[in-house]
């Protein structure tokens, strides 16, 4: 199926948009609440305006109503400025100046945590003024520009200030001024108090739209990366802190009930905006200036509540119990590498292959799925000598999975089990390397890892055997094991010896199949060109003693080569042109038949092995 590009996605018939429109139409007629009047300029707000925007971390924006109308951000500025102060000073300093406990009181309440000599939290005015006072910079202009630039990073566009609202707030913000003076008196706040207050009033007067809020919320949902500009607006550590205070204190004296009913970190402002965030999934921005007595937008709350109920967005809604992350598991006895093995080596690996365990993983890796994997690994620790974990079908790998994988690595070391990871994404490999996984533990693919494990097993017993240096004689070829010296004297003259350099093509795909090869020295690999890429998939690697190209023996007239065979090293082959067999059929039919039967038998073995491998697919 073709991948639908999000940029080209038409929202016209989007079920998501239909749903948001439905919610919009449902609450548009509700006129409960009042616009804020304590800041005179805000009293001019149009109570009919109503906009909703939902933005996803990959930048899809769903919006309805007056989502492009500007209004002042007000208290929604507080979590973002908190993030800036955290980035400026670090958690310890900020925690010593502003707490994280909900007050259960109104946004402008005059209460302090006198035991710790700090405001309760950065979402109420007392905490927000103290937080703004901590924003670094060289004077008012510079400090405000830092705040504005940060907000612009979140919104992904240039923002401006509503000067009229700013002046209105500055001239009537007596209560905030009183809070600041009390803080100054208690030593909770330092520096130029009027400058701090101006900064606070100005940050509240920055103009945004519901769409801006949707994108700002989605930036928080996206670990601090703006989904539109793809720029990091804030570090992930700060995102966690911001969302935590939003969850516990963002809706003032409605915070507890909000978390109970809606279950998302959120923040409201008296300009009529609300942001809500479902980490990893989306950000919501709503705008409707009609406020309830607590200063939260009436329609905004209803929209979020309805969305949360319809889609079960509540963070604590029932979660599916985690399934296993193992999609397939098999041993090296069931599936072997694509390197051909002969005789004793093959028998040995058929027996000892049990010591190699492959786990093909799928889906997201996090604590619960990996915990199940660790139990599975442990149950095999008596037999396992090698464990291959394949990550080609793995989705997200979260931090606890990285930690657990590192514990698994340590466990492997303690049990003397060689652990290898194949097919994991580069970014996961980098994170694992930061956690002590070394380069040699990452292998490109299962086949290469299997071959490495097999070679290790073989080298214990058959090291000599796998590093055959000398050219094998015709009689030493596997195929001729059951042939008598007399039969060999008939056959030998039919073969000619051909040499190849490393990287020479021995067989090319599409060529006529008119001969077979017996590998006397060196190694050669059969590979397929994967369509439209330069990449090749290895089907098998031949070692001395093995025959190849023999399939054509059963299909002489029509056959064409179906893959390339390239010399990996210097190679010597005994080559038999099929034309020469015609004479053999006439002069020594019994030798001819025996030859065909022997090749037939090797094919039967190949098919048996393939059947075993296919069976492991359905386990
Ligand atoms: O401190 C004030 O009064 C305003 N500038 C911000 C208050 C606010 O938005 C409260 N939120 N609901």
């Amino acid at each position: 199926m073709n991948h639908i590009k999000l940029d080209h996605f038409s929202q016209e018939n989007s079920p998501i948009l239909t749903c948001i429109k439905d919610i919009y139409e449902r609450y548009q007629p509700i006129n409960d609440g009042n616009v804020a009047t304590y800041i005179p300029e805000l009293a001019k707000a149009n109570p009919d305006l109503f906009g909703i925007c939902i933005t996803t971390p990959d930048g899809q924006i769903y919006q309805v109503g007056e989502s492009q109308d500007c209004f002042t951000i007000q208290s929604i500025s507080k979590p973002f400025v908190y993030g800036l102060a955290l980035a400026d000073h670090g958690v310890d300093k900020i925690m010593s100046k502003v707490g994280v406990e909900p007050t259960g009181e109104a946004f402008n309440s005059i209460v302090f945590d006198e035991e710790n000599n700090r405001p309760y939290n950065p979402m109420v005015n007392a905490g927000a003024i103290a937080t703004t006072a901590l924003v670094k910079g060289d004077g008012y202009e510079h400090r405000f520009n830092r705040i504005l630039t940060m907000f612009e990073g979140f919104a992904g566009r240039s923002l401006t200030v509503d000067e009229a609202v700013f002046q209105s707030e500055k001239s009537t913000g007596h209560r905030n001024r009183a809070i600041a003076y009390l803080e100054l008196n208690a030593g909770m706040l330092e520096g130029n108090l009027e400058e701090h207050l101006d900064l606070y009033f100005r940050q509240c007067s920055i103009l945004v739209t519901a769409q801006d809020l949707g994108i700002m919320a989605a930036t928080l949902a996206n670990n601090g990366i703006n989904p539109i500009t793809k720029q990091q607006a804030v570090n992930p550590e700060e995102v966690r802190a911001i969302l935590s205070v939003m969850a516990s204190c963002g809706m003032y004296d409605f915070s507890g009930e909000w978390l109970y009913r809606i279950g998302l970190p959120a923040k409201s402002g008296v300009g009529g905006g609300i942001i809500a965030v479902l980490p990893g999934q989306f950000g919501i921005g709503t705008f409707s200036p009609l406020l309830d007595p607590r200063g939260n937008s009436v329609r905004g709350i209803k929209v979020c509540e309805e969305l949360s109920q319809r889609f079960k967005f509540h963070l604590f809604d029932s979660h599916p119990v985690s399934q296993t992350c193992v999609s397939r598991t098999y041993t090296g006895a069931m599936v072997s590498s694509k390197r051909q093995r002969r005789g004793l080596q093959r028998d040995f690996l058929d027996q000892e292959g049990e010591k190699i365990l492959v786990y093909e993983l799928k889906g997201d890796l996090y604590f619960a799925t990996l915990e199940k994997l660790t139990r599975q690994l442990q149950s095999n620790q008596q037999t396992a000598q090698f464990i291959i974990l394949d990550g080609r079908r793995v989705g997200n790998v979260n931090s606890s999975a990285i930690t657990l994988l590192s514990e698994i690595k340590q466990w492997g070391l303690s049990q003397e089990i060689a652990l290898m990871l194949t097919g994991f994404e580069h970014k996961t490999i980098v994170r694992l390397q930061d956690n002590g996984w070394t380069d040699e533990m990452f292998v490109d693919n299962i086949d290469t890892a299997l071959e490495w494990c097999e070679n290790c097993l073989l080298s214990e017993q058959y090291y000599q055997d796998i590093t055959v240096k000398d050219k094998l004689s015709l009689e030493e070829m596997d195929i001729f094991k059951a042939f008598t010296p007399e039969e060999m004297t008939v056959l030998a003259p039919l073969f000619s010896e051909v040499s190849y350099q490393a990287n020479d093509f021995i067989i090319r795909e599409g060529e006529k199949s008119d001969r077979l090869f017996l590998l006397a020295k060196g190694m050669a690999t059969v590979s397929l060109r994967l369509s439209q890429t330069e990449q090749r998939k290895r089907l098998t690697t031949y070692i001395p003693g093995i025959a190849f190209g023999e399939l054509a023996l059963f299909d002489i007239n029509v056959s064409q080569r179906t893959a390339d065979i390239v010399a990996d090293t210097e190679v010597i082959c005994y080559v038999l042109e099929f034309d020469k067999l015609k004479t053999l059929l006439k002069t020594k039919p019994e030798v001819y038949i025996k030859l065909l039967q022997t090749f037939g038998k090797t094919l039967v073995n190949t098919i048996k092995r393939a059947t075993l491998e296919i069976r492991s697919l359905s386990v």
Side-chain angles (χ1 to χ4, degrees), residues 464-476:
Q464 300 298 331
D465 225 24
I466 63 164
T467 53
V468 187
K469 291 257 167 29
D470 298 330
K471 182 180 82 174
L472 297 180
S473 68
L474 197 61
E475 291 72 21
E476 285 174 296

Side-chain angles (χ1 to χ4, degrees), residues 38-39 74-75 78 107 125 169 176 200 204 252 268-270 295:
Y38 77 99
I39 300 167
Q74 296 297 336
S75 285
K78 292 170 182 173
F107 70 89
N125 289 4
E169 256 195 272
N176 283 332
Y200 172 71
C204 289
Y252 311 114
S268 64
V270 291

